[in-house]
């Protein structure tokens, strides 16, 4: 089973996606997601210019050898562009291996460890009342875990609040738009919001919240402490994590569980966080953390330290990433929860898939491989559109973390 052809396909069915398609000499095809939100063409170029020429003629069964050839062979290790490109190759190779075996991918990863992959959805609203109604809507749809985000009194717009309630898309303009942020307003509002959620819905059902890297360690410690009565499933990305040791401060002050990792691309981003038990859930994904092979290594290391999976599943990760991730999460011993931001109907039409949502869980399906395909004719109808994530400023104009 040799790689005969490798195509990089860029399409924008509502948002941009980059997909690597590998074709073998015996006619099998495998897909890998290569989407890096706001930097899509950098990965497409990395793949097309530097990776594809090395793939042609290689034995498609040699997944680990190919991974290390791309990782060590570049000399320049790590980084989101490199690791997303490697992830695409790795995912496509796992898809091929499982198709060659005639098995759904989870069978090659150790088989099913649970009935399905419990997912959390995103309830969000412009204010507290609307957010509470959205929580109700997600409960009615069968979600057992719900992320709660809301507009903050006094701020014109906030991360995590979307115009179209079911489909969140922050990459809204070719040149980044600007948001304004007040940590003070946010810290005052959050305990009130979560109190209102628990008063209305009680304690059955998991509640999550994403800070999107906007606090300092001591501010995050205060938030975690103030939210303890509301028993969060997790507090996500409380602080930017380049400085992993900073999370020691949070741990000294609060027992609110911490999740982080959606922007991580290798185990080196999380070695101290996991090794010192500074977090509870690791959010690294298939597409940005080097594919199934590397993410599995991260999750195995996490399992040794009682850290569970909470893989990123935003709309800017394509159905190919989601499908592959579901197989991995069905198989691992230390599953926690999986994010599920629904894709639009246009995206789903371009990426027909075997996974389905039922009873608060996603089920990867029994199709051989990861079960996600690409309708290239449909994809061709949606050409690439430049789109960037916003930037964020404090009310005095200082550039802050978006
Ligand atoms: O591209 C950025 C998004 O994936 C990110 O903002 C979504 O924070 C996010 C989440 O938790 O899904
Ligand atoms: Mg997040």
């Amino acid at each position: 089973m040799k790689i005969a052809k490798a195509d990089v396909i860029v399409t924008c069915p509502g948002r941009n996606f980059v997909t690597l398609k590998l074709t073998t000499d015996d006619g099998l095809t495998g897909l890998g997601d290569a989407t890096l939100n706001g930097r899509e063409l950098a990965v497409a170029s990395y793949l097309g210019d530097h990776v594809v020429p090395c793939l042609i003629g290689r034995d498609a069964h040699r997944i680990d050898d190919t991974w290390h050839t791309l990782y060590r062979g570049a000399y320049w290790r790590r980084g989101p562009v490199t690791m997303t490109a490697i992830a695409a190759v790795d995912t496509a190779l796992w898809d091929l291996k499982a198709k060659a075996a005639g098995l759904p991918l989870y069978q090659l990863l150790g088989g099913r460890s649970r009935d399905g992959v419990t997912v959390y959805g995103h309830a969000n609203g412009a204010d507290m009342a609307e957010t509470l109604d959205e929580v109700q809507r997600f409960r009615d749809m069968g979600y057992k875990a719900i992320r709660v985000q809301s507009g903050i009194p006094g701020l014109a717009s906030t991360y995590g609040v979307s115009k179209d309630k079911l489909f969140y898309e922050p990459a809204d303009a070719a040149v980044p738009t600007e948001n304004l942020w007040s940590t003070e307003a946010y810290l005052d509002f959050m305990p009130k919001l979560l109190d209102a959620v628990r008063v209305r819905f009680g304690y059955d059902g998991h509640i999550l919240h994403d800070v999107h890297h906007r606090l300092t360690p001591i501010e995050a410690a205060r938030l975690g402490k103030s939210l303890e009565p509301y028993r969060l499933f997790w507090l996500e990305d409380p602080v930017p994590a380049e400085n992993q040791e900073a999370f020691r401060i949070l741990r000294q002050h609060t027992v609110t569980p911490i999740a982080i990792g959606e922007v991580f691309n290798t185990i080196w981003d999380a070695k101290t966080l996991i090794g010192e038990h500074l977090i509870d859930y690791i959010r690294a994904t298939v597409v940005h953390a080097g594919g199934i092979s590397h993410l599995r290594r991260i999750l195995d290391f996490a399992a040794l330290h009682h850290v569970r999976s909470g893989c990123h599943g935003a709309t800017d990760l394509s159905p190919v990433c989601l499908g592959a991730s579901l197989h991995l999460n069905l198989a691992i011993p230390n599953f926690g929860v999986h994010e599920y931001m629904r894709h639009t109907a246009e995206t789903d039409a371009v990426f027909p898939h075997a996974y389905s949502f039922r009873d608060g869980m996603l089920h990867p399906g029994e199709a051989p491989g990861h079960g996600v395909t690409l309708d290239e004719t449909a994809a061709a109808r949606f050409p690439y559109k430049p789109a960037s994530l916003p930037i964020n400023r404090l009310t005095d104009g200082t550039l802050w973390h978006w």
Side-chain angles (χ1 to χ4, degrees):
M1 190 167 73
K2 287 200 175 355
I3 301 171
K5 201 163 168 280
D7 301 292
V8 181
I9 299 149
V10 182
T11 178
C12 185
R15 69 148 3 269
N16 292 313
F17 293 111
V18 181
T19 309
L20 177 70
K21 175 182 166 192
L22 299 182
T23 308
T24 63
D25 54 0
D26 39 10
L28 287 180
T29 57
L31 295 183
D33 182 19
T35 309
L36 184 62
N37 199 1
R39 296 292 182 269
E40 292 88 356
L41 297 186
V43 185
S45 155
Y46 191 106
L47 281 168
D49 295 337
H50 306 293
V51 173
V52 164
C54 311
L55 295 178
I56 307 304
R58 285 186 74 89
D59 179 354
H61 277 304
R62 296 186 64 180
I63 298 179
D64 225 51
D65 183 69
T66 302
W67 196 98
H68 283 95
T69 301
L70 295 174
Y71 185 77
R72 294 179 186 169
Y75 185 65
W76 312 106
R77 298 177 182 212
R78 307 159 64 190
V81 175
T82 297
M83 297 309 293
T84 301
I86 294 177
V89 176
D90 185 82
T91 307
L93 291 177
W94 276 107
D95 193 24
L96 282 170
K97 192 185 277 292
K99 281 178 177 165
L103 291 170
L105 177 55
Y106 72 82
Q107 295 291 16
L108 271 58
L109 300 173
R112 180 188 288 278
S113 289
R114 54 195 52 80
D115 298 338
V117 176
T118 300
V119 292
Y120 68 90
H122 286 212
N124 63 88
D127 54 26
M128 190 187 287
E130 194 177 65
T131 302
L132 294 178
D133 289 347
E134 284 299 306
V135 173
Q136 182 65 58
R137 192 152 73 107
F138 277 81
R139 288 169 68 92
D140 293 345
M141 284 189 282
Y143 284 85
K144 312 267 187 294
I146 300 173
R147 190 184 92 161
V148 176
Q149 306 291 141
S150 171
I152 315 288
L155 295 181
S157 63
T158 313
Y159 158 76
V161 179
S162 54
K163 287 167 230 123
D164 184 334
K165 294 279 164 283
L166 271 187
F167 310 107
Y168 174 66
E169 185 46 74
D172 55 359
V175 174
T177 53
E178 295 201 2
N179 292 179
L180 274 189
W181 176 251
S182 160
T183 297
E184 294 76 14
Y186 171 76
L187 288 180
D188 287 346
F189 178 67
M190 278 315 297
K192 293 178 194 146
L193 175 68
L194 289 175
D195 185 60
V197 171
R198 288 308 191 189
V199 166
R200 175 151 162 196
F201 300 104
Y203 280 76
D204 69 321
H206 294 306
I207 297 298
L208 301 78
H209 176 68
D210 187 355
V211 185
H212 224 244
H213 305 114
R214 292 178 175 203
L215 301 178
T216 65
I218 201 68
E219 289 165 351
R222 175 182 146 199
L223 179 64
K225 206 169 181 175
S226 69
L227 299 183
E228 278 172 13
Y230 312 116
R231 210 190 67 202
L232 281 186
F233 185 87
W234 79 34
L235 185 67
E236 176 181 336
D237 292 350
V239 185
E242 287 96 327
N243 182 348
Q244 298 180 42
E245 288 78 8
F247 281 69
R248 291 177 189 146
I249 295 173
L250 269 87
R251 274 298 207 231
Q252 283 162 14
H253 291 285
T254 179
V255 294
T256 292
I258 305 295
I260 195 154
E262 67 184 42
V263 302
F264 292 177
N265 45 74
T266 67
I267 183 63
W268 302 105
D269 293 323
K271 186 167 170 279
T272 303
L273 291 172
I274 295 172
E276 289 190 22
H277 306 94
L278 299 178
I279 59 171
D280 303 281
Y281 298 91
I282 177 77
R283 286 185 41 70
T285 59
V286 168
V287 56
H288 299 139
I292 304 229
S293 300
H294 192 67
L295 182 58
R296 188 158 64 150
R297 291 202 166 99
I298 296 175
L299 293 172
D300 279 344
F301 178 60
L304 299 179
H305 298 87
H306 309 279
V307 174
R308 295 191 284 161
S309 70
C311 292
H312 192 199
T315 27
D316 49 287
L317 283 53
S318 95
V320 173
C321 173
L322 180 59
S325 185
L326 295 176
H327 285 266
L328 182 57
N329 277 277
L330 193 69
I332 55 171
N334 54 328
F335 171 71
V337 74
H338 200 292
E339 184 177 15
Y340 179 40
M341 269 195 212
R342 287 158 182 265
H343 288 110
T344 61
E346 281 166 325
T347 299
D348 281 341
V350 167
F351 293 95
H353 49 75
Y355 62 76
S356 57
F357 176 79
R358 201 171 59 250
D359 299 333
M361 289 178 166
L362 277 171
H363 304 269
E366 295 298 316
H370 55 49
V372 184
T373 57
L374 175 62
D375 178 337
E376 290 182 57
T377 313
R381 287 202 290 272
F382 300 104
Y384 169 78
K385 276 196 212 134
S388 299
L389 289 167
I391 58 172
N392 199 26
R393 290 189 187 277
L394 299 180
T395 46
D396 71 353
T398 305
L399 191 80
W400 200 241
H401 316 287
W402 181 76

